[in-house]
Amino acid sequence: MEECISVFDMLKIGVGPSSSHTLGPWRAAERFLSELRENGIFDKIERVKIDLYGSLSLTGTGHATDLAVMLGLSGQDPEYIPIDSISSIIKDIENDNEIKLGNEKTIPFSFLMDIVFNKNFLPFHANGLMFTAYYGDYHYESTFYSIGGGFVVKEDRPNAKAKEIIKCSFPYPIQKADELLAYCNDLGKSISEIVHENEKSMRSEAEIDRELMRIWNTMLECMYIGSHTEGTLPGGLNVRRRAFDMHKNLIGDKPYANPQEWLETIRKTEVKFRSILKWVSCFALAVNEVNASLGRVVTAPTNGSAGVIPSVLMYYMVIENHSANNEHIKKFLMVAGEIGSIFKKGSTISAAMGGCQAEIGVSSAMAAGALTELLGGSPEQVLMAAEIAMEHHLGLTCDPIGGLVQIPCIERNTMGAIKAINAAELALETDAKNAKVPLDKVVDTMWRTAQDMNSKYKETSEGGLAIAVNMADC
């Protein structure tokens, strides 16, 4: 059996700004609480300390890692927490010097003393964090690794180091793109149909439909909020939100009252090449401005690259196909999720391991392949589009200024989206039999590139734009 990753593993609803530095540590804190309960010591805990290592330490403040672990320890769920309550919860912890562990047990907690930033890297992964709980003369500690996209593992997990097989029940287990293509050809099915069959082995069709639409509605709401919010992003770079002004110029004075009416209204706007570029860019900017403000987004496959897939799917719905419905949305998300899982299995979706090629590159490949299926492309053309998109992101570094998911991260989502659309069109106009580079080769090349890349370009803020431009310049 091969490793099985669901669409809902690749597309997770959470809080920004980072899936590996915010959502992952948040989930790690939740798992730590579960371990305390499982070991029967939760009620005995008197103090908790968190050590952040490597990339989590170097860019942790800018990525709100410290806030995420506090929220996780407080028993808050990133998928459902009211966004407006985040600041008040954090403020109460800081002012009262105590935390309500699991929203049940209040213990002393010092924001300055109990979260420790360690610049050294743990050997297993660049994003390590260790929780230590003290009770009487004893203590319990547990180390987690946030490996990208909100995924969290432990080094002592069976088969974790070797990345060996994880058993699952998928009828069509897929590790590589050529295996996916073989299923499509042997069964005469599209990629989305293969993915749907796999998902049905884990969930009912009703649950699959409901959860896919919940993901899309979160994406749509995120684009809507970002396009209607002006001001400056938090963090100290004084980055002005651009989606608001761009959207205002594009939409004019047309009336609408909610996200769905907004979508329908955009369909009635002028369609010229420059307008299309602006709309796609506006959608992507909107998502990642929400992400940078600790808003709710969908990892796709990460928070830093969360704007690419929604903007390309929105492009299809408001530009390419005004009759697009829920079935198109679900197909798009299933294809995107499967392509993302192939990259995760064969390479990485963590910028701390592979640079920004692992985030924007993968998201662009996911969007390109998904769009290609909706535009009538064959499975071969879908995989070709994904390959083209990634091929032109290989080597992309991760060098966020000030450790914030803002510059150059937000703009990179617009570029990844445009490249995805271009890659889809190139694939559709090509006989896939003439393709020279299969997707599996580019996945392998991406991983080798990641291994060769200097560590300072892997989400450390110690190279590239992150040192060429400093906070004082902004």
Side-chain angles (χ1 to χ4, degrees):
M1 300 289 285
E2 301 287 357
E3 181 178 5
C4 293
I5 298 176
S6 167
V7 171
F8 304 107
D9 293 323
M10 297 305 303
L11 305 174
K12 300 185 184 79
I13 298 172
V15 173
S18 171
S19 54
S20 59
H21 287 55
T22 315
L23 181 58
W26 194 324
R27 292 301 189 193
E30 291 178 325
R31 286 179 56 178
F32 180 64
L33 291 180
S34 296
E35 289 183 6
L36 296 181
R37 291 188 176 96
E38 290 167 5
N39 285 279
I41 57 176
F42 178 86
D43 293 331
K44 303 176 184 178
I45 302 306
E46 299 165 356
R47 179 192 166 212
V48 172
K49 181 174 73 114
I50 307 99
D51 284 275
L52 305 177
Y53 293 93
S55 182
L56 290 183
S57 172
L58 292 167
T59 61
T61 302
H63 289 64
T65 307
D66 47 357
L67 309 186
V69 293
M70 288 191 285
L71 291 164
L73 290 173
S74 299
Q76 305 298 324
D77 188 332
E79 197 166 338
Y80 296 101
I81 183 175
I83 297 300
D84 294 342
S85 71
I86 289 177
S87 59
S88 61
I89 294 171
I90 296 298
K91 190 174 181 179
D92 287 345
I93 295 172
E94 294 178 350
N95 291 343
D96 300 339
N97 284 315
E98 60 184 26
I99 191 168
K100 195 170 185 180
L101 208 62
N103 203 29
E104 297 176 28
K105 176 183 173 61
T106 301
I107 61 172
F109 187 87
S110 170
F111 177 71
L112 296 177
M113 300 294 293
D114 291 328
I115 300 179
V116 182
F117 293 83
N118 305 276
K119 290 188 176 181
N120 56 303
F121 287 71
L122 299 180
F124 182 71
H125 192 278
N127 291 335
L129 69 164
M130 182 175 70
F131 295 86
T132 306
Y134 299 89
Y135 57 107
D137 296 329
Y138 303 94
H139 71 276
Y140 174 87
E141 59 184 43
S142 188
T143 302
F144 299 87
Y145 299 90
S146 180
I147 60 173
F151 289 89
V152 178
V153 300
K154 301 193 72 170
E155 188 172 356
D156 59 1
R157 184 192 73 181
N159 300 324
K161 267 191 173 179
K163 292 182 72 175
E164 293 177 4
I165 292 168
I166 299 173
K167 290 184 178 180
C168 65
S169 58
F170 280 4
Y172 306 116
I174 297 158
Q175 191 75 10
K176 295 178 177 294
D178 61 0
E179 295 170 349
L180 171 60
L181 186 58
Y183 288 131
C184 292
N185 290 336
D186 291 347
L187 300 170
K189 293 180 179 292
S190 66
I191 289 176
S192 62
E193 288 173 327
I194 295 292
V195 177
H196 192 236
E197 289 300 314
N198 281 340
E199 292 295 333
K200 286 196 297 184
S201 70
M202 302 173 68
R203 298 171 177 84
S204 68
E205 290 198 49
E207 184 181 1
I208 294 168
D209 290 352
R210 182 178 66 251
E211 290 304 301
L212 285 174
M213 290 311 300
R214 189 164 73 95
I215 286 170
W216 165 245
N217 287 327
T218 301
M219 290 178 169
L220 178 60
E221 183 178 34
C222 187
M223 287 184 282
Y224 185 82
I225 291 172
S227 295
H228 294 82
T229 305
E230 58 182 330
T232 302
L233 296 175
L237 287 178
N238 297 314
V239 174
R240 177 175 171 78
R241 291 175 179 262
R242 284 184 285 175
F244 179 87
D245 292 330
M246 185 178 288
H247 173 261
K248 188 176 180 180
N249 291 333
L250 286 165
I251 201 72
D253 57 0
K254 296 178 178 62
Y256 51 87
N258 55 56
Q260 187 59 42
E261 288 184 12
W262 177 60
L263 186 155
E264 298 291 345
T265 300
I266 294 172
R267 286 175 168 170
K268 301 172 185 175
T269 61
E270 184 179 55
V271 180
K272 291 183 178 179
F273 181 68
R274 289 185 65 198
S275 299
I276 294 171
L277 287 177
K278 289 178 182 178
W279 271 120
V280 174
S281 297
C282 177
F283 301 145
L285 288 173
V287 170
N288 286 84
E289 287 173 357
V290 169
N291 180 63
S293 305
L294 274 77
R296 180 162 286 117
V297 300
V298 177
T299 65
T302 67
N303 282 33
S305 60
V308 177
I309 287 172
S311 59
V312 174
L313 179 48
M314 189 70 161
Y315 157 80
Y316 176 78
M317 298 187 72
V318 301
I319 303 296
E320 284 293 334
N321 183 5
H322 288 191
S323 299
N325 55 35
N326 291 357
E327 293 306 308
H328 295 94
I329 293 169
K330 289 183 285 188
K331 286 181 181 179
F332 186 101
L333 295 177
M334 285 190 287
V335 175
E338 185 59 46
I339 292 171
S341 75
I342 289 171
F343 276 97
K344 184 182 183 301
K345 293 166 190 170
S347 185
T348 180
I349 57 170
S350 167
M353 291 294 287
C356 198
Q357 61 174 351
E359 296 202 20
I360 294 297
V362 173
S363 64
S364 186
M366 293 166 69
L371 178 61
T372 300
E373 176 162 311
L374 291 194
L375 293 175
S378 66
E380 290 87 352
Q381 288 173 318
V382 168
L383 299 180
M384 185 180 186
E387 180 279 319
I388 292 171
M390 172 51 76
E391 183 179 326
H392 299 288
H393 283 93
L394 287 174
L396 185 61
T397 60
C398 181
D399 46 357
I401 297 173
L404 299 165
V405 192
Q406 297 181 19
I407 304 173
C409 319
I410 295 174
E411 281 185 356
R412 281 184 178 171
N413 279 263
T414 71
M415 302 304 290
I418 297 300
K419 283 186 180 181
I421 296 169
N422 191 21
E425 293 299 339
L426 286 172
L428 288 166
E429 293 299 324
T430 303
D431 184 343
K433 294 178 182 178
N434 297 324
K436 302 299 181 183
V437 184
L439 180 56
D440 288 328
K441 290 289 186 182
V442 85
V443 172
D444 182 63
T445 299
M446 177 194 151
W447 179 235
R448 292 177 185 274
T449 303
Q451 293 173 306
D452 291 339
M453 188 181 292
N454 191 302
S455 62
K456 67 184 180 182
Y457 297 115
K458 297 180 182 180
E459 207 166 4
T460 62
S461 288
E462 294 184 327
L465 286 172
I467 61 170
V469 182
N470 56 50
M471 299 288 279
D473 295 323
C474 301

